[in-house]
Amino acid sequence: MSRDRDHALPEPPSRRLLLKGAAAAGALAAVPGVAQAAHLARPPKPAPFVNPLVRNRADPHINRHKDGFYYFTATAPEYDRIILRRSRTLNGLGTAAESVIWRAHPTGNMGAHIWAPELHRIGGKWYIYFASAPAEDVWAIRIWVLENAHPDPFKGTWVEKGQVKTAWETFSLDATTFTHRGKRYLAWAQHEPGMDNNTGIFLSEMANPWTLKGPQVRLSTPEYDWECIGFRVNEGPYVLKRNGRLFMTYSASATDFNYCVGLLTADADSHLLDPMSWTKSPTPVFTSNDTTKQYGPGHNCFTVAEDGRTDVLVYHARQYKEINGDPLNDPNRHTRIQKLGWKPDGTPDFGIPVADTVKAGD
């Protein structure tokens, strides 16, 4: 996820800044009546995360906006609508009221397979990127955009801005947007004609929130064994900027227990539209775990905890390994969150998908 004003996600403070803050707090504590105020000014410690956070919601996206709310959207298992929730805390999203802000068309475009919505604030307006297909051709999936000029995304009117036109009229989905060095980019998954895969990851600069400026470049295609189980898939890209680098996660393989997260890395000073700027990790960074009983973790995004400093990994997973029938017809991909760690070399440490804190029957 980019660290721009759209997402209001600050970089963690440096060690020097923390030491200066501690010294200042100590000095203030020596002043009568100020010690309590200094204590109250400290950011709250994040509460332990409750998992699953939101049941039966896959492909989750959480946007922490400058108004102090976390905004949540995700794929509903019926694939027929776009929902929103909001809360001032991450855990609060689990019980927050849910509103349907848009429904699939009964016929024609945007009539089926409403997948993977993302909510972004761009230029003073709200935008939702999502995938859908015509009601009469349910696998002709493309990327579409909604716009809302109201400050409150639960109010106003969601205007259909149309399809994001890419280089080819082929299967495409999972669009995400970010800014870097004053330029806005779109990353997404698409099938490239002539390629022996289902989808690869693509990147393009944007002319406006619903139009690509071009050219579009392929950053990744399934090549390792772990990217090609069931289906040859790279999808669900998402960007996090940290430590002088851009980290782009993506999901690979079929959406059963083989689903996992891969990682692309680029230097912040590099030319992002040069595929050579991006390095792919040869092994997945986040996978199913038999010990914690979490399977098929993927389609992640990132946010920060209430303290404004703790990075948080957001993803979906199932609580069981075996699935009857097509995994796309299984509704039990639940939204989950956990702390994202960092290794000494400045790269993200995903760990393993954490065990449930809430029992399935609760």
Side-chain angles (χ1 to χ4, degrees):
M1 174 178 280
S2 63
R3 294 312 197 208
D4 57 30
R5 64 182 181 180
D6 296 337
H7 300 100
L9 301 180
E11 290 279 358
S14 66
R15 183 173 182 272
R16 178 176 295 178
L17 184 60
L18 288 172
L19 290 173
K20 286 175 66 178
L28 286 172
V31 180
V34 176
Q36 184 178 6
H39 173 72
L40 293 174
R42 295 173 186 168
K45 185 178 179 179
F49 296 139
V50 174
N51 278 304
L53 179 66
V54 185
R55 296 184 185 278
N56 306 112
R57 295 290 179 265
D59 313 322
H61 185 252
I62 297 177
N63 183 330
R64 187 189 190 214
H65 189 46
K66 63 183 180 181
D67 63 4
F69 282 102
Y70 289 96
Y71 290 88
F72 170 88
T73 188
T75 300
E78 296 81 9
Y79 306 146
D80 63 353
R81 64 194 185 276
I82 296 177
I83 57 91
L84 279 183
R85 300 185 184 200
R86 68 179 164 195
S87 171
R88 293 197 177 275
T89 65
L90 282 168
N91 284 340
L93 290 171
T95 55
E98 187 170 279
S99 294
V100 176
I101 58 93
W102 183 89
R103 290 189 181 274
H105 294 190
T107 61
N109 288 332
M110 295 178 280
H113 282 156
I114 311 303
W115 287 352
E118 285 196 8
L119 175 71
H120 294 268
R121 184 75 170 171
I122 304 171
K125 296 181 181 180
W126 293 101
Y127 291 89
I128 287 179
Y129 297 83
F130 67 103
S132 72
E136 301 80 14
D137 190 1
V138 300
W139 293 108
I141 293 173
R142 305 291 187 267
I143 299 163
W144 299 79
V145 184
L146 305 177
E147 178 190 75
N148 190 340
H150 199 284
D152 184 345
F154 289 82
K155 300 178 181 179
T157 301
W158 285 97
V159 178
E160 297 169 358
K161 301 300 289 185
Q163 180 185 340
V164 176
K165 292 291 186 177
T166 62
W168 319 288
E169 278 294 330
T170 60
F171 187 88
S172 50
L173 70 168
D174 295 350
T176 188
T177 184
F178 66 96
T179 60
H180 185 60
R181 304 288 167 85
K183 296 180 179 180
R184 179 163 294 280
Y185 296 88
L186 192 80
W188 73 98
Q190 185 164 14
H191 173 67
E192 180 178 353
M195 293 292 289
D196 182 23
N197 66 15
N198 295 93
T199 52
I201 301 297
F202 293 86
L203 185 70
S204 178
E205 191 177 344
M206 304 193 79
N208 60 44
W210 59 92
T211 308
L212 300 183
K213 187 175 181 179
Q216 71 177 53
V217 297
R218 180 188 351 112
L219 301 186
S220 178
T221 187
E223 54 189 306
Y224 295 114
D225 289 347
W226 54 270
E227 298 177 291
C228 302
I229 304 174
F231 295 99
R232 299 172 63 88
V233 167
N234 285 175
E235 65 183 17
Y238 209 81
V239 171
L240 174 66
K241 292 197 285 186
R242 277 285 189 270
N243 305 324
R245 280 169 280 190
L246 278 76
F247 301 101
M248 182 183 289
T249 51
Y250 65 93
S251 298
S253 287
T255 57
D256 56 14
F257 68 91
N258 294 296
Y259 207 52
C260 60
V261 176
L263 184 67
L264 304 172
T265 303
D267 189 278
D269 294 326
S270 66
H271 178 39
L272 298 188
L273 292 177
D274 180 357
M276 298 301 294
S277 297
W278 297 86
T279 301
K280 179 189 286 193
S281 298
T283 57
V285 295
F286 200 55
T287 62
S288 294
N289 190 277
D290 285 321
T291 300
T292 60
K293 306 297 183 184
Q294 301 303 324
Y295 299 100
H299 204 116
N300 74 284
C301 71
F302 302 99
T303 187
V304 292
E306 291 84 348
D307 62 3
R309 294 164 48 193
T310 302
D311 286 302
V312 177
L313 173 66
V314 184
Y315 62 99
H316 71 235
R318 288 187 179 89
Q319 296 165 311
Y320 47 85
K321 190 172 185 177
E322 300 302 326
I323 301 170
N324 293 322
D326 189 337
L328 287 176
N329 296 328
D330 182 292
N332 295 316
R333 292 183 292 177
H334 305 321
T335 295
R336 310 179 65 80
I337 56 175
Q338 64 190 65
K339 180 180 178 180
L340 179 71
W342 292 93
K343 299 177 182 178
D345 65 357
T347 60
D349 185 353
F350 292 82
I352 63 174
V354 296
D356 292 343
T357 53
V358 179
K359 295 180 180 179
D362 289 352

